[in-house]
Amino acid sequence: MMRTDEYLPVPGEEKNQDFVNTNPRNDESIPMKSLYGDSSQPFSPLGPYLSDGCRRVDYVLTYHIQKPSSVRHKSPRFADNNFVRRLRRSLSSRSSRAPLQPKEDPEIAAQDQRADYHEDDKRFRREEFEENLLETGLELEKDEGSKIPGIGFLKIHAPWNVLCREAEFMKLKMPTKKVYDVKQGSNVVEKIRLFIHKVTAPLHPNVEENRLKSVKPLSHPFSREKQHLFNLSDRDKFFDSKTRSSIVYEVLKRTRCTRAKYTMGITSLLANGVYTAAYPLHDGDIEGVTAEPNDRKLLYEEWASYSVFYKYQPIGLIRKYFGEKVGLYFAWLGVYTQMLIPAAIVGVIVFLYGCVTVDDNIPSMEICDPRNNVTMCPLCDSACSYWKLVSACGTARASHLFDNPATVFFSIFMALWAVLFMEHWKRRQMRLNYVWDLTGFGEEEEEEHKDHNRAEYEFRVMQKSMKQEHSSLKGEKVKLTCTDRLPAYLTTVVMMALMIMVTFVIVFGVILYRISIKAALHMSTYPAARSNIRATVKTTAAIINLIVIIILDEIYGSIARWLTTLEVPKTDKSFEERLIFKTFILKFVNAFTPIVYLAFFRGRLVGRPGNYLYVVGSYRMEECAHAGCLMELCIQLCITMLGKQLIQNNLFEIGIPKLKKLLRKRKSELDTKQEEEQNKTLHRHEKDHFLGPFVGLSPEYMEMIIQFGMVTLFVASFPLAPLFALLNNIIEIRLDAKKFVMELRRPIAAKAKDIGIWYNLLRGLSKVAVIVNAFVISFTSDFIPRLVYQYVYSPDGSMHGFVDHSLSYFNVSDFQPGTAPVNPMHLGHDVLICRYKDYREPPWSNTPYELSKEFWAILAARLAFVIVFQNVVMLMSDFVDWLIPDIPKDISLQIHKEKILMVELFMKEEQGKRRTLRDNHNQDNCTTPSSATQSPPQPRSRPLSHANCY
């Protein structure tokens, strides 16, 4: 097929557009007037259509256009066709990226010529790729005269026969004419569900896809031989825009350029800059009086608007527009947010219980009672002096808000909540699979959708095959082995270990900051600085940790992607899973290392007065407050969670797109009114070009997985975490909706029947949460020491005397040289004995300062509680998991009913075929000899809808 036969010049205003409508099976020619209309009345639709205004643009490829010849280096050799053909053969091995320079001397002119070679190489590859696309039956139209300078557009349309052929290849399930009644379940659970659905009717979006339907069409993989089973009365709506774009994308992935030394698919062409972008088009505009009704506008009104924050999401419409993979993400996010409502309510009740009972808490009352007159040992060497226990009254009262008996109940509740959430999601997922006709979507279809190799993998295989061209392994199939990837694997292990060590070092640096700033504030002469040292140190350290976490998150995300690229995964699915695993490990360690330190290590590696543990020379390890480290853990969790959600999740998602838009406006020479007028005249493919590319759902999932960890892992220390997560998610859903509808290009509709590796991560976190909360209650809070004191050591079975029981004695004469307070008379009197929180023998005993028997009794009780708590909660979780079936009973019955109806449908079809053959056979046998003189019967014509599929 010659190039001059393919591309036709466009008259009038469309003179810079090229149109291709060539069918390799058909030699019919189409007049130019029928394609573009009369040149005196040019028709240029602004919607997602080709220049004729009828055929829909199913996919768009963009590419760079060379500068006009007036500003480029001119060479008469480029007018020689023979030279161009030689150039086409020789440039497959050339790849110069020299920039265009002003022509001042021969060296600069040579650089310009090399750039021309590279651009011509790209153009030749595009021509070959487009010729191959034409051979598949696709229709192409070029637009190089757009209002975006330097960008050309290749608009692709899939005609009916291509859609039918590819739908059959892809085994797409399409609705048939046969419908059946959907009977709702008769058990109590389903009746309750239907009742709740009726009560919450005002909260449902006003879209057709979200309404309960009494009938459902049978779905069957599309087949051109069985077209009579499907309702093809309206071909334009049989394959919706999402399905059309996914079909074209499959054709693009399958098409190859083979004239170069190695084959190149669409991913390789995009990676090498032959094409700069590839995307399907949005349905239409969402704003303006002239915007026609479309699914995108409906999504904006019923989903992406903050005014409908209280409504359910239109999951059916989301799936119809963006595909099953995006639909499952937002369905999962909706289920997670709904399940946070009871968790938030119970968490608020637990917090209010702590507020109500704070005045009845005996240990707090003893600490706040000035009559006890307990003198405590210094909190740091030399600079710090003795202090009264009554000064920790505020911290003790605040700690009771989170460290009370209700915390244990809440930890058990949240462990069961996590199991119920997972079970509820599995049932919801099965219901969506049934409604979306994904019940038969198995491993075979998934393999067909993931067998396309990535561009980097193909390039590495090409390099390896070129090295083996003259070796004995020439006949074997070339692929990358573990040996080829071994350097990348070693790099990954070393870099991951290094990044984790960097996180530990930064956390250790924050520890040194706390130690040094506390000593500096104690030495300060300003009363304001010395008034509230603990709160200042805790808050500033938590803010520093938050800033470090946010910065390292961005760095670790880039490093994880770089390491995954080094490994050269074969498929996109493998690339995504490896990237998710690395990113999760790095971000999880980054977010939770400071929290784990506060929960399990701070205050336990301290030593005792006279024998403290020092690090980095003279830095004495920090102690917990008398009420424990739970309060500091709560502050760290609160600031980290709120900061990440407010800054990293919401502010970045709102601010960065607006900042990019502002910078784009500043670079543009047009004012606001001129830009608005220009936007009104832009075509749909030009408007979508300005939108951001879709980078996948991994960042969205990662935000929620880290949040899920914050909610479940340390919920014993922060019962308000579910409330903050709920408030964040209500905003997050609408933010993500607005981003998908308004700010991003339309993603390729990808099929998926579950959320993949994310479910395993959630399940793993819910299991780990049980163990972590058991240790938090046992070792971080004072729940177990109080319990042991009340039932073993208390003389009257009450908590009176617990504070004195938890404090040990220290003789100030046993201080090491240089560590005693510089100002020992700070309290106005001489101190001989001071107290510190620990279970050790007094200085007058036979074994002074050794661990006492009370310490070992409490340690045994703590370990016993961990074992009992973990096993009881796990047993309860497994019981709930066993009690709730993964597949709802009504869905199981409907799936079984569908299979029976499908068998009956095909049995009737086979019976009809046999009856027709028998009738034809009988008619032939009954034919009289006289009928031989009559004209022979005409063969039956094929139905029009059937013929158009070929």
Side-chain angles (χ1 to χ4, degrees):
M1 186 177 298
M2 298 299 292
R3 192 169 164 240
T4 55
D5 295 332
E6 295 171 7
Y7 301 104
L8 305 178
V10 181
E13 293 184 3
E14 300 291 322
K15 62 183 179 180
N16 291 319
Q17 274 192 333
D18 294 333
F19 179 76
V20 181
N21 185 28
T22 306
N23 193 334
R25 305 177 185 86
N26 214 339
D27 294 333
E28 296 179 0
S29 61
I30 300 177
M32 290 174 57
K33 288 186 178 180
S34 66
L35 297 178
Y36 306 104
D38 192 358
S39 60
S40 61
Q41 295 178 351
F43 180 70
S44 179
L46 299 181
Y49 300 98
L50 296 180
S51 57
D52 58 3
C54 297
R55 286 166 298 173
R56 183 182 180 87
V57 177
D58 299 317
Y59 214 84
V60 171
L61 300 178
T62 66
Y63 53 91
H64 284 298
I65 303 175
Q66 282 183 301
K67 291 184 178 181
S69 57
S70 59
V71 296
R72 289 174 47 193
H73 176 71
K74 295 181 180 180
S75 175
R77 294 178 297 171
F78 281 91
D80 187 359
N81 290 332
N82 294 328
F83 173 77
V84 172
R85 282 194 289 270
R86 291 196 306 271
L87 186 65
R88 187 170 186 171
R89 289 193 300 267
S90 64
L91 283 182
S92 59
S93 61
R94 291 176 179 257
S95 180
S96 174
R97 295 183 178 269
L100 293 173
Q101 300 285 348
K103 297 169 288 299
E104 298 176 355
D105 53 43
E107 182 179 354
I108 295 178
Q111 293 177 354
D112 195 340
Q113 181 177 324
R114 288 197 296 271
D116 286 340
Y117 286 171
H118 185 62
E119 290 300 323
D120 285 332
D121 187 22
K122 290 182 179 180
R123 179 166 56 84
F124 292 145
R125 293 186 188 277
R126 283 198 298 269
E127 288 178 2
E128 181 192 354
F129 186 71
E130 289 158 14
E131 289 175 3
N132 295 337
L133 289 180
L134 290 171
E135 293 176 1
T136 64
L138 296 177
E139 297 177 359
L140 313 179
E141 181 180 279
K142 279 193 172 183
D143 182 5
E144 296 185 351
S146 66
K147 297 182 181 178
I148 306 176
I151 299 294
F153 295 90
L154 179 68
K155 295 178 283 186
I156 305 174
H157 168 74
W160 174 256
N161 61 330
V162 175
L163 293 174
C164 293
R165 183 192 69 211
E166 297 299 326
E168 184 174 353
F169 291 166
M170 296 167 64
K171 300 178 182 178
L172 294 181
K173 273 192 171 184
M174 304 302 295
T176 63
K177 297 177 183 178
K178 177 69 175 178
V179 296
Y180 66 96
D181 294 331
V182 179
K183 294 183 179 180
Q184 302 298 334
S186 58
N187 56 5
V188 178
V189 176
E190 295 304 322
K191 287 182 178 180
I192 293 174
R193 190 181 67 84
L194 291 175
F195 174 75
I196 293 174
H197 189 275
K198 291 179 180 178
V199 172
T200 59
L203 302 180
H204 290 275
N206 187 25
V207 295
E208 184 66 28
E209 285 76 10
N210 269 54
R211 298 192 180 112
L212 290 176
K213 296 179 176 62
S214 58
V215 295
K216 182 180 184 294
L218 281 176
S219 294
H220 185 264
F222 185 81
S223 173
R224 289 173 288 183
E225 295 181 355
K226 296 182 174 62
Q227 288 194 43
H228 56 279
L229 297 177
F230 305 94
N231 184 11
L232 303 179
S233 58
D234 189 353
R235 291 185 175 183
D236 292 336
K237 294 183 180 179
F238 183 73
F239 294 109
D240 56 17
S241 58
K242 170 204 67 171
T243 307
R244 296 175 67 98
S245 62
S246 62
I247 287 175
V248 174
Y249 182 62
E250 287 297 320
V251 177
L252 290 175
K253 288 199 296 185
R254 197 172 62 238
T255 307
R256 291 287 187 267
C257 292
T258 58
R259 296 179 188 171
K261 286 192 175 181
Y262 63 100
T263 60
M264 296 180 70
I266 183 61
T267 52
S268 301
L269 295 174
L270 288 169
N272 288 279
V274 178
Y275 291 103
T276 56
Y279 52 90
L281 298 183
H282 281 291
D283 276 357
D285 293 322
I286 56 178
E287 296 175 336
V289 182
T290 59
E292 298 180 358
N294 56 74
D295 287 342
R296 187 189 185 197
K297 185 176 182 181
L298 188 59
L299 280 172
Y300 175 75
E301 295 171 351
E302 297 291 336
W303 181 47
S305 176
Y306 291 109
S307 60
V308 294
F309 74 93
Y310 60 92
K311 287 188 176 183
Y312 292 101
Q313 300 180 86
I315 297 298
L317 186 60
I318 297 171
R319 174 253 179 180
K320 177 185 175 184
Y321 192 78
F322 292 109
E324 285 78 8
K325 197 169 185 179
V326 176
L328 279 174
Y329 164 71
F330 283 104
W332 173 83
L333 183 56
V335 170
Y336 173 48
T337 305
Q338 290 175 27
M339 289 295 292
L340 281 173
I341 295 175
I345 293 174
V346 176
V348 171
I349 292 174
V350 170
F351 177 75
L352 293 178
Y353 170 81
C355 295
V356 171
T357 59
V358 66
D359 292 329
D360 300 328
N361 184 37
I362 295 176
S364 298
M365 294 170 61
E366 290 182 349
I367 292 175
C368 296
D369 190 355
R371 294 174 296 178
N372 289 332
N373 197 27
V374 178
T375 301
M376 302 296 293
C377 295
L379 296 175
C380 62
D381 292 343
S382 301
C384 304
S385 186
Y386 306 106
W387 57 284
K388 292 293 184 180
L389 182 60
V390 70
S391 63
C393 175
T395 305
R397 290 172 63 86
S399 296
H400 179 73
L401 302 179
F402 307 99
D403 187 6
N404 55 68
T407 304
V408 180
F409 158 76
F410 189 56
S411 299
I412 299 174
F413 170 82
M414 287 302 295
L416 297 178
W417 171 88
V419 177
L420 288 172
F421 163 59
M422 303 300 289
E423 292 302 314
H424 180 36
W425 167 244
K426 282 195 292 186
R427 291 169 64 85
R428 172 68 169 156
Q429 186 172 260
M430 283 305 303
R431 192 175 296 278
L432 291 176
N433 285 342
Y434 163 70
V435 175
W436 295 350
D437 296 317
L438 295 173
T439 51
F441 185 77
E443 295 182 357
E444 181 181 352
E445 287 82 0
E446 290 180 355
E447 288 294 331
E448 290 180 1
H449 283 82
K450 72 176 183 179
D451 61 354
H452 300 284
N453 297 340
R454 299 182 67 250
E456 291 82 358
Y457 181 84
E458 291 181 349
F459 182 73
R460 285 287 299 274
V461 169
M462 180 273 299
Q463 288 182 325
K464 185 176 180 181
S465 61
M466 292 176 65
K467 292 179 181 178
Q468 296 180 354
E469 280 183 354
H470 303 290
S471 67
S472 59
L473 302 175
K474 186 175 179 181
E476 297 183 4
K477 184 179 179 180
V478 179
K479 62 179 182 179
L480 295 184
T481 62
C482 291
T483 306
D484 298 324
R485 294 190 174 101
L486 185 59
Y489 289 154
L490 293 176
T491 304
T492 298
V493 172
V494 172
M495 286 298 297
M496 292 279 287
L498 179 61
M499 292 302 101
I500 293 174
M501 286 301 300
V502 167
T503 303
F504 290 164
V505 168
I506 292 176
V507 171
F508 184 70
V510 176
I511 295 171
L512 297 182
Y513 161 80
R514 275 200 294 256
I515 296 171
S516 58
I517 199 68
K518 183 188 295 184
L521 290 176
H522 275 288
M523 295 172 63
S524 176
T525 57
Y526 294 98
R530 298 170 59 92
S531 61
N532 206 347
I533 295 175
R534 284 185 180 272
T536 303
V537 173
K538 293 174 189 176
T539 307
T540 55
I543 292 174
I544 292 173
N545 273 323
L546 170 64
I547 295 172
V548 169
I549 287 171
I550 291 175
I551 295 173
L552 289 183
D553 265 357
E554 303 301 321
I555 297 174
Y556 287 169
S558 302
I559 291 176
R561 180 169 291 275
W562 172 65
L563 292 175
T564 309
T565 305
L566 283 182
E567 295 176 5
V568 197
K570 184 175 182 180
T571 62
D572 288 332
K573 184 178 178 62
S574 176
F575 181 89
E576 184 180 18
E577 289 180 349
R578 296 185 186 202
L579 177 61
I580 288 171
F581 178 74
K582 295 181 184 65
T583 308
F584 174 75
I585 293 294
L586 292 176
K587 290 193 174 184
F588 185 85
V589 170
N590 181 38
F592 287 97
T593 299
I595 298 171
V596 170
Y597 164 74
L598 288 175
F600 302 124
F601 295 99
R602 183 178 178 181
R604 286 162 184 80
L605 304 174
V606 179
R608 60 170 180 82
N611 188 22
Y612 282 114
L613 177 65
Y614 294 89
V615 293
V616 193
S618 60
Y619 286 93
R620 194 179 100 184
M621 290 299 292
E622 52 187 349
E623 305 174 44
C624 291
H626 178 76
C629 285
L630 203 66
M631 189 62 194
E632 296 188 29
L633 178 60
C634 175
I635 293 174
Q636 181 68 55
L637 266 171
C638 181
I639 292 179
T640 302
M641 188 173 182
L642 291 179
K644 277 180 66 67
Q645 292 178 351
L646 188 64
I647 299 174
Q648 194 172 24
N649 297 355
N650 297 336
L651 189 61
F652 281 7
E653 290 188 8
I654 297 174
I656 291 180
K658 289 189 178 296
L659 183 61
K660 288 182 178 178
K661 189 176 181 180
L662 181 63
L663 292 175
R664 194 163 56 241
K665 282 186 177 181
R666 281 197 151 191
K667 290 181 180 179
S668 176
E669 299 177 355
L670 304 176
D671 57 20
T672 306
K673 290 185 178 180
Q674 290 176 333
E675 188 174 355
E676 290 178 358
E677 291 296 327
Q678 187 186 39
N679 287 336
K680 291 179 181 179
T681 60
L682 289 177
H683 294 72
R684 180 76 265 152
H685 60 274
E686 294 170 334
K687 292 179 181 178
D688 286 5
H689 179 74
F690 288 115
L691 300 178
F694 176 71
V695 295
L697 292 169
S698 296
E700 314 298 334
Y701 272 115
M702 192 63 67
E703 291 177 13
M704 294 297 106
I705 295 295
I706 298 297
Q707 185 200 84
F708 182 81
M710 295 279 184
V711 169
T712 55
L713 288 179
F714 295 92
V715 73
S717 61
F718 190 36
L720 294 180
L723 176 64
F724 291 145
L726 174 63
L727 297 177
N728 172 79
N729 287 4
I730 292 174
I731 302 173
E732 179 77 16
I733 288 175
R734 306 304 160 181
L735 270 178
D736 286 346
K738 183 164 286 193
K739 180 170 66 175
F740 271 77
V741 174
M742 297 182 62
E743 298 171 2
L744 295 180
R745 294 171 186 162
R746 191 174 183 178
I748 299 296
K751 280 189 176 296
K753 64 184 302 183
D754 52 41
I755 59 175
I757 191 176
W758 301 109
Y759 180 82
N760 298 328
L761 293 177
L762 288 168
R763 195 169 185 82
L765 283 176
S766 62
K767 297 293 185 184
V768 173
V770 177
I771 303 173
V772 170
N773 281 297
F775 276 94
V776 168
I777 295 171
S778 295
F779 289 91
T780 307
S781 73
D782 280 341
F783 176 76
I784 299 300
R786 291 174 184 175
L787 208 63
V788 172
Y789 174 79
Q790 184 175 1
Y791 291 102
V792 178
Y793 297 107
S794 176
D796 55 358
S798 68
M799 292 301 297
H800 289 287
F802 170 74
V803 174
D804 183 70
H805 180 264
S806 63
L807 297 176
S808 297
Y809 293 90
F810 178 74
N811 191 333
V812 299
S813 61
D814 295 332
F815 273 122
Q816 290 182 351
T819 61
V822 177
N823 185 15
M825 300 296 294
H826 174 71
L827 297 178
H829 59 86
D830 194 14
V831 177
L832 300 178
I833 298 291
C834 66
R835 309 291 295 272
Y836 62 98
K837 188 176 182 180
D838 205 348
Y839 291 95
R840 292 182 179 271
E841 297 291 342
W844 52 80
S845 69
N846 294 329
T847 54
Y849 307 126
E850 294 293 328
L851 295 174
S852 63
K853 60 180 181 178
E854 289 87 354
F855 172 84
W856 300 110
I858 292 173
L859 179 62
R862 282 173 163 166
L863 294 175
F865 177 84
V866 169
I867 296 172
V868 172
F869 181 89
Q870 174 185 338
N871 286 279
V872 169
V873 174
M874 291 268 189
L875 184 63
M876 294 172 65
S877 301
D878 292 340
F879 176 74
V880 172
D881 191 0
W882 169 81
L883 189 65
I884 302 175
D886 293 346
I887 305 176
K889 187 176 180 180
D890 63 319
I891 296 299
S892 179
L893 294 174
Q894 298 294 352
I895 293 173
H896 183 65
K897 182 179 180 180
E898 269 195 357
K899 292 179 180 179
I900 295 175
L901 291 174
M902 190 60 69
V903 172
E904 292 177 356
L905 180 63
F906 282 105
M907 290 298 292
K908 288 180 181 179
E909 184 186 2
E910 288 297 325
Q911 291 174 2
K913 287 182 179 179
R914 291 174 183 174
R915 191 180 300 111
T916 303
L917 291 174
R918 186 168 56 250
D919 293 342
N920 292 338
H921 182 69
N922 293 336
Q923 185 178 359
D924 292 340
N925 291 337
C926 297
T927 303
T928 59
S930 61
S931 64
T933 59
Q934 300 175 3
S935 60
Q938 297 293 328
R940 293 192 303 169
S941 61
R942 183 176 295 164
L944 181 61
S945 61
H946 200 239
N948 287 341
C949 290
Y950 294 95

